[in-house]
Amino acid sequence: MFRSLLVLLTVGFVGMAVSGIVFGLLFPLIMVALKILFFVLIGYLILRLVKPDLADNLKNCCTGKNSGD
């Protein structure tokens, strides 16, 4: 009984440590990616208002689709 309790506590502590490390590293990376995506989206929308043809060319260049297809 004591051994199973000790194993359970050890697995719990290791799991908490691993999840803390993973989320401690992963969450800031996700936030940076979301900020970059937000600024790119805002820049694209501004470009779409100012020069729609250039925005279409950039979209076609990034997606790899031609407007004639």
Side-chain angles (χ1 to χ4, degrees), residues 4 11 49 51 54 69:
S4 62
V11 169
L49 289 174
K51 290 194 167 206
L54 180 61
D69 288 345

Side-chain angles (χ1 to χ4, degrees), residues 1-7:
M1 169 123 177
F2 180 72
R3 182 177 173 196
S4 62
L5 182 63
L6 186 64
V7 168

Side-chain angles (χ1 to χ4, degrees), residues 8 19 21 31 38 41 45 49 63 66:
L8 186 62
S19 66
I21 291 170
M31 291 308 294
F38 177 73
L41 178 66
L45 290 176
L49 289 174
T63 59
N66 293 329

